[in-house]
């Protein structure tokens, strides 16, 4: 017996098919990340992305963004500062609060990650039809908007 799903309820088979299809996209992202992350860990990369999204974020905000304890975020930040990837600047409103900013080295690293990833995606997109690329863009744009509204993608955000 077939189960009826309303127009606003995704079909579980469709969800499974999307999950399977998304593997190719995720493999391209992972391959790019692996080329960059030998220099820094995945956790450090996620921290850089969080600082990039919210330049001037404080340590508490970074901990919340990454879903970690403040003490863990502090040690992570210490490692990023020591490696020249993040700089700490006294806050403008409260000099006791420390604001975090990317350094030119981290901006270069994130730019390299995006270039590698886009080169890999270009190779795949070239093998798709124009209408397929347009449909993919429409679908992913709608997916990103829906994920942003619900906050479901917060823990999975990448470069």
């Amino acid at each position: 017996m077939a189960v009826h799903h309303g127009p606003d309820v995704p079909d579980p088979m469709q969800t499974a098919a999307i999950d399977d299809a998304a593997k190719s996209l995720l493999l391209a992202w992972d391959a790019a990340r692996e080329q960059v992350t030998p220099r820094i860990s995945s956790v450090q990369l996620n921290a850089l992305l969080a600082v990039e999204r919210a330049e001037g974020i404080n340590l508490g905000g970074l901990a919340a963004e990454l879903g970690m304890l403040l003490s863990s975020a502090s040690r992570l930040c210490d490692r990023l500062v020591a490696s020249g990837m993040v700089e700490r600047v006294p806050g403008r409103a409260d000099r006791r609060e420390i604001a975090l900013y990317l350094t030119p080295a981290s901006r270069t690293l994130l730019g390299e990650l995006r270039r590698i990833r886009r080169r890999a995606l270009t190779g795949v997109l070239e093998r798709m039809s124009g209408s397929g690329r347009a449909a993919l863009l429409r679908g992913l744009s709608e997916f990103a908007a829906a994920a942003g509204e619900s906050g479901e993608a917060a823990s999975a955000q990448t470069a």
Side-chain angles (χ1 to χ4, degrees), residues 62-116:
L62 180 64
E65 180 76 18
L66 298 176
M68 61 176 41
L69 297 172
L70 185 59
S71 59
S72 298
S74 179
R75 287 189 300 276
L76 173 61
C77 188
D78 290 343
R79 289 191 299 275
L80 288 169
V81 169
S83 67
M85 293 290 161
V86 169
E87 65 178 325
R88 291 182 176 122
V89 176
R92 292 186 184 125
D94 180 353
R95 308 260 322 146
R96 293 172 295 171
E97 188 172 272
I98 301 298
L100 304 172
Y101 293 90
L102 297 179
T103 64
S106 60
R107 290 184 193 286
T108 298
L109 182 120
L110 293 176
E112 180 182 348
L113 173 66
R114 288 183 178 99
R115 279 189 300 281
I116 292 167

Side-chain angles (χ1 to χ4, degrees), residues 134-157:
L136 178 64
L137 178 57
R138 273 192 316 277
L140 287 175
S141 296
E142 188 173 331
F143 182 89
E149 291 173 4
S150 67
E152 290 174 23
S155 64
Q157 290 181 354

Side-chain angles (χ1 to χ4, degrees), residues 26-49:
L26 293 174
L27 286 172
W29 282 51
D30 286 344
R33 189 176 264 225
E34 286 176 16
Q35 289 183 43
V36 172
T37 55
R39 289 175 261 169
I40 63 170
S41 71
S42 290
V43 173
Q44 289 172 325
L45 180 58
N46 287 336
L48 292 179
L49 294 168

Side-chain angles (χ1 to χ4, degrees), residues 24 28 118-129 133:
S24 298
R118 288 174 183 169
R119 195 170 39 244
L121 291 174
T122 296
V124 174
L125 293 171
E126 287 173 344
R127 295 189 297 272
M128 292 177 64
S129 68
R133 288 191 300 269

